[in-house]
Amino acid sequence: LNIARDTIYLYIQYLEKAGLITLVRKSGQGVKSVRKPQKIYLDNSVLLSVLSDLSEMDSFAGTRRETFFANQLSAVAKIAIPPRGDFVVNNSFTFEVGGKNKNRDQLQHADNNYWALDGIEIGHRTTIPLYLFGFLY
């Protein structure tokens, strides 16, 4: 980009304040996490659809799911990126976001772990249909 790193961070802050992106920081880090986000998502999945080629939308399924989850939960809770899993909510609940055939091994030994899965209609125990998070906003 041929611009200073501080300028890039400033531009990212402007995009976040404008509501175009959502910054998700790593959990458990102090001052460093304020400066450098772990992940940057478009603010909502509709923006992802508008800005990408429709023929490639299937390859963005995971990103679309995580974007939706981050958008819905960040409106009502504090989200961060944990060492294991996709998101930690309010420093207590670890979530793995995926499709209906998501491998369950990633969070096997974690406490308070949940799966937010796309393509299912009914949840069971720690499995929650992803679409239900849309009711939180």
Side-chain angles (χ1 to χ4, degrees), residues 14-86:
Y14 291 154
L15 290 170
E16 181 181 34
K17 286 181 182 179
L20 293 174
I21 62 172
T22 300
L23 304 178
V24 184
R25 289 162 173 80
K26 202 172 196 175
S27 65
Q29 289 191 347
V31 177
K32 184 179 179 183
S33 69
V34 172
R35 182 79 168 145
K36 184 179 177 187
Q38 182 71 16
K39 289 189 178 184
I40 300 174
Y41 293 103
L42 287 172
D43 185 61
N44 63 57
S45 53
V46 174
L47 288 174
L48 185 62
S49 301
V50 170
L51 296 174
S52 61
D53 186 2
L54 292 177
S55 65
E56 297 177 2
M57 281 308 291
D58 288 340
S59 62
F60 292 121
T63 302
R64 191 174 62 243
R65 290 177 186 127
E66 289 184 17
T67 299
F68 174 77
F69 186 87
N71 175 264
Q72 299 303 303
L73 267 290
S74 65
V76 296
K78 180 181 179 280
I79 61 171
I81 304 297
R84 284 192 146 149
D86 289 326

Side-chain angles (χ1 to χ4, degrees), residues 1-8 11:
L1 295 174
N2 291 329
I3 56 176
R5 179 181 295 166
D6 291 341
T7 305
I8 292 172
Y11 290 169

Side-chain angles (χ1 to χ4, degrees), residues 101-128:
N101 297 321
K102 179 75 174 174
N103 185 347
R104 306 280 175 124
D105 295 339
Q106 286 178 287
L107 298 179
Q108 187 173 338
H109 302 292
D111 292 334
N112 291 328
N113 54 351
Y114 298 89
W115 287 266
L117 301 183
D118 192 16
I120 63 171
E121 293 180 18
I122 300 170
H124 179 42
R125 295 188 182 196
T126 58
T127 302
I128 303 167

